[in-house]
Amino acid sequence: MSAEPLKTLFHPFEAEAVAMPRKGERVLFLGAEPGFRLPEGFDATLHLVQGFRPHFRALQGAGFTVTPHLEGEGFDAALVLAGRHRGQNELRIAEAIERVRPGGLIAVAGGKDDGIASLRKRIGELVTLDGHMPKHHGIAFWFHRPADAAAALRVANPTLLVESRFRTAPGMFSFDKIDAGSRLLVDNLPGDLRGNIADFCAGWGYVAAEVAARSPGISALDLYEAEFEALEAAKRNIGNTAAEPNFFWIDLLSEPVERRYDAIVMNPPFHRSRATEPEIGAGMIRAAAKALKPGGRLFMVANRQLPYEPVLAAAFSSHAEIARDGMFKVLAARR
């Protein structure tokens, strides 16, 4: 997300359309991202919630109090930075309503390209909005906590059960179905995976769960994921395995992997927003190469057009494409 929606969120305070939170008050900030500037006179204590590890670390490094999941209640006000996932936006607003004291302010903002206008309309059907303001290619709107509205938002965005096995929630990658690329990867993994195995970019746990079910020779299974809530879901979804799974909430592009593996499987992301960013997957490949034992193997899936072969050639002794369909390719490499 660009810095523009952050500016939009604080603009009503700067424009004096909304009263500045005073010293001694507590303000919850859901979906907080690094790079925001507090308006002069915004003297309340901020409690930031951000489950995406790179943003979490950046906010923590800037000196803010930040947690990966929601804690506390009775806040005087709440800020909600809306993103592209409608269901996640609605759930964050529901959480704000539940955690703010009766009558407390709730301010929401997002980019026009991310659907903030439809979100404003949706919330306006449930509560009386006090105002809205366009600015910085986005819209901010605000209201005071109603007696009830959170329930309707939660009912509209329930936890899902994918293929009667995996529990997911809005905002997670491929939360309503098994990703086709991940399924292609699983279907083309060798049947002789043994030893210490890791799933990089594990999401809510589909690939790791299938590896555990299909590979009885595994002695250790570790899941790495940057999204906190997805990793929490993976803990529930992995099921019983011969090897006790371990879960690591880290940013693989900037935090080292301490363990070493016989094989790594992964379906790496290739964008942070709408633009394709192959360098994310390239960084994951380099991280995997460092985390593999000599002779260790990497199995990954990617969109067919992504140019990962030169990166594999530079980081591994050998690599090959072992499967493809109309959209994806499965690549294997050996350290």
Side-chain angles (χ1 to χ4, degrees):
M1 183 181 292
S2 72
E4 297 294 280
L6 285 168
K7 295 178 183 177
T8 305
L9 181 60
F10 288 100
H11 180 68
F13 298 97
E14 295 174 326
E16 300 183 350
V18 178
M20 288 285 187
R22 300 185 299 273
K23 188 173 183 178
E25 293 185 328
R26 298 161 58 241
V27 177
L28 178 65
F29 190 174
L30 295 167
E33 294 189 6
F36 65 87
R37 181 187 60 82
L38 288 175
E40 185 176 352
F42 195 110
D43 295 326
T45 300
L46 278 177
H47 296 260
L48 281 57
V49 180
Q50 175 53 260
F52 183 50
R53 183 73 175 176
H55 289 345
F56 173 91
R57 296 184 72 216
L59 290 165
Q60 198 173 55
F64 291 105
T65 299
V66 55
T67 60
H69 58 92
L70 192 53
E71 298 175 352
E73 56 186 17
F75 292 94
D76 297 289
L79 307 173
V80 180
L81 184 65
R84 296 175 60 188
H85 302 284
R86 188 197 70 179
Q88 185 179 56
N89 292 335
E90 293 188 6
L91 287 174
R92 283 179 176 168
I93 293 172
E95 290 170 343
I97 292 170
E98 292 165 349
R99 302 287 179 145
V100 167
R101 63 171 174 77
L105 175 74
I106 298 171
V108 183
K112 291 181 179 178
D113 291 341
D114 292 333
I116 188 64
S118 62
L119 181 63
R120 177 174 70 89
K121 180 179 179 181
R122 163 71 168 149
I123 301 304
E125 293 170 351
L126 300 174
V127 305
T128 300
L129 299 182
D130 295 331
H132 71 278
M133 184 174 288
K135 191 69 175 180
H136 303 297
H137 308 290
I139 298 172
F141 63 89
W142 57 94
F143 59 96
H144 286 79
R145 179 189 163 176
D148 186 29
L153 293 170
R154 291 206 176 278
V155 168
N157 299 283
T159 298
L160 297 184
L161 187 62
V162 176
E163 296 198 356
S164 303
R165 290 178 60 194
F166 304 103
R167 293 201 174 275
T168 70
M172 298 177 188
F173 170 70
S174 194
F175 77 97
D176 57 348
K177 62 182 182 301
I178 292 173
D179 171 64
S182 294
R183 194 187 294 275
L184 184 68
L185 172 63
V186 164
D187 289 344
N188 287 279
L189 290 175
D192 63 346
L193 290 179
R194 304 183 66 83
N196 297 338
I197 311 297
D199 182 358
F200 280 11
C201 315
W204 44 260
Y206 165 70
V207 172
E210 289 295 313
V211 168
R214 301 178 188 210
S215 305
I218 291 176
S219 56
L221 179 61
D222 294 348
L223 286 73
Y224 291 80
E225 173 56 42
E227 289 284 0
F228 184 86
E229 293 301 332
L231 192 62
E232 290 296 295
K235 293 178 182 179
R236 299 185 293 268
N237 290 331
I238 196 67
N240 295 322
T241 67
E244 187 71 24
N246 298 293
F247 302 88
F248 298 91
W249 180 52
I250 74 170
D251 175 12
L252 288 164
L253 297 181
S254 64
E255 295 179 89
V257 174
E258 302 296 340
R259 301 188 178 201
R260 294 296 175 261
Y261 298 99
D262 297 289
I264 293 173
V265 297
M266 69 177 184
N267 180 1
F270 58 90
H271 56 75
R272 291 183 180 90
S273 56
R274 286 182 171 82
T276 299
E277 298 182 57
E279 184 54 35
I280 299 174
M284 297 295 178
I285 291 171
R286 298 184 191 105
K290 293 177 182 178
L292 282 166
K293 299 176 182 178
R297 295 180 292 172
L298 169 67
F299 301 93
M300 65 175 291
V301 66
N303 282 43
R304 287 174 52 174
Q305 77 275 13
L306 293 174
Y308 290 147
E309 287 81 358
V311 186
L312 290 167
F316 290 85
S317 61
S318 63
H319 69 91
E321 181 180 304
I322 60 173
R324 74 162 46 206
D325 63 12
M327 290 186 62
F328 304 100
K329 58 188 175 184
V330 178
L331 302 169
R334 186 179 294 273
R335 183 180 169 192

